[in-house]
Amino acid sequence: MTGLLYEQVRRVTPEASVLLQRNPGPMTLDGTNTWLLRAPGEGTAIVVDPGETDDEHQAALVGTADSIALVLVTHRHRDHSEAAPALHDATGAPVRALDPEHCRGAGPLVNGELIDAGGLRTRVLATPGHTSDSVCFVLESAEGVPTAILTGDTILGRGTTVVAHPDGALGPYLASLRTLHALGALAVLPGHGPDLPSLAVVTEEYLAHREERLRQIRDALVRMGPDATARQIVEDVYADVDESVWWAAELSVRAQLDYLRG
Ligand SMILES: [Zn+2]
């Protein structure tokens, strides 16, 4: 049994391994990626996004990491953060997030902060937009050169993310995408879906996608009139998207309407 659990862990870079939670769905894609970070040869690990409450996932995490130094949370959504308090209770590892409500045994993250744990240099980068409390974690070499980035739901391994209005907002999201684009061709370790080779490439695609959606919504408002509802716009503009996620598309449309009207 234990052997099976260990096999779920996949090494992606020398410092980062992923444990896929078995919670697949339209919003979680294959499931939540829980990341384990540690320098080669280092005993203690950082856990990023322990996922939703799930005894089996937690047992696999605790078994794999030997010792957990710190738990980090990319943002407040349940599929990333829910299991953090139980993991704190089980291991004593402090939990840190941007939102103080999601912290346990330590203070909130600070934008630009350098975290020293797991034998790694991990830089906190605030990237509001998907939610107001979204952060990315940049792994740096000993010389301070960025090598990889954990993006939570700000960048996904497949498809595009939802701007979760009203907590999320499009203006900050576009600014975050531009900040990320400036970091260059880092390996992307997302909260859902496969890892990607280049942050520069995927952020360019995301920015182009956002521009295209904004253009479509402007066009829809011209056709349907300025009083068109978010739902009517989803039915028109997001006709290519599976109906099971229209509720999420509606949040993105509300965020885009706010942006266009603001
Ligand atoms: Zn999320």
Side-chain angles (χ1 to χ4, degrees):
M1 187 64 193
T2 310
L4 279 177
L5 295 177
Y6 283 98
E7 282 170 16
Q8 298 168 0
V9 178
R10 186 170 59 85
R11 176 158 295 198
V12 175
T13 77
E15 295 83 22
S17 301
V18 65
L19 183 73
L20 178 65
Q21 184 162 38
R22 291 179 181 143
N23 61 339
M27 302 307 291
T28 56
L29 306 179
D30 316 300
T32 299
N33 290 330
T34 295
W35 291 93
L36 285 152
L37 309 176
R38 77 183 132 196
E42 177 72 27
T44 63
I46 302 173
V47 169
V48 179
D49 285 350
E52 50 192 86
T53 300
D54 171 345
D55 290 346
E56 198 182 325
H57 190 63
Q58 180 167 312
L61 260 180
V62 171
T64 304
D66 302 333
S67 153
I68 297 173
L70 175 65
V71 178
L72 297 174
V73 173
T74 59
H75 67 294
R76 59 171 61 97
H77 283 162
R78 185 181 153 271
D79 57 324
H80 298 258
S81 65
E82 187 186 43
L87 191 58
H88 170 69
D89 291 345
T91 64
V95 178
R96 300 190 64 203
L98 202 61
D99 181 350
E101 267 187 42
H102 286 269
C103 296
R104 294 288 185 282
L109 297 169
V110 176
N111 186 29
E113 176 184 354
L114 185 65
I115 293 168
D116 177 10
L120 298 172
R121 293 167 59 98
T122 305
R123 184 81 63 181
V124 177
L125 181 61
T127 51
H130 169 69
T131 59
S132 59
D133 72 332
S134 287
V135 293
C136 292
F137 299 109
V138 181
L139 298 184
E140 296 183 354
S141 70
E143 296 77 34
V145 178
T147 58
I149 184 165
L150 290 98
T151 54
D153 283 358
T154 298
I155 304 273
L156 300 179
R158 198 166 60 240
T160 57
T161 199
V162 171
V163 179
H165 176 88
D167 181 24
L170 185 58
Y173 186 59
L174 294 174
S176 293
L177 289 178
R178 289 186 200 107
T179 300
L180 291 171
H181 185 258
L183 291 177
L186 305 183
V188 178
L189 313 176
H192 306 281
D195 51 289
L196 300 170
S198 170
L199 182 66
V201 169
V202 70
T203 47
E204 217 160 290
E205 290 166 359
Y206 270 51
L207 283 163
H209 172 78
R210 286 294 156 200
E211 262 171 46
E212 174 64 10
R213 285 295 191 211
L214 279 171
R215 189 190 61 72
Q216 290 173 328
I217 288 172
R218 274 194 211 97
D219 289 355
L221 288 173
V222 169
R223 272 198 318 278
M224 301 161 82
D227 297 330
T229 66
R231 177 69 187 192
Q232 287 168 329
I233 291 171
V234 168
E235 287 171 11
D236 185 87
V237 171
Y238 286 75
D240 59 318
V241 170
D242 193 282
E243 222 175 306
S244 68
V245 294
W246 277 10
W247 66 269
E250 199 171 321
L251 298 182
S252 278
V253 167
R254 286 181 193 282
Q256 290 173 91
L257 289 174
D258 257 24
Y259 178 80
L260 290 172
R261 287 167 179 161

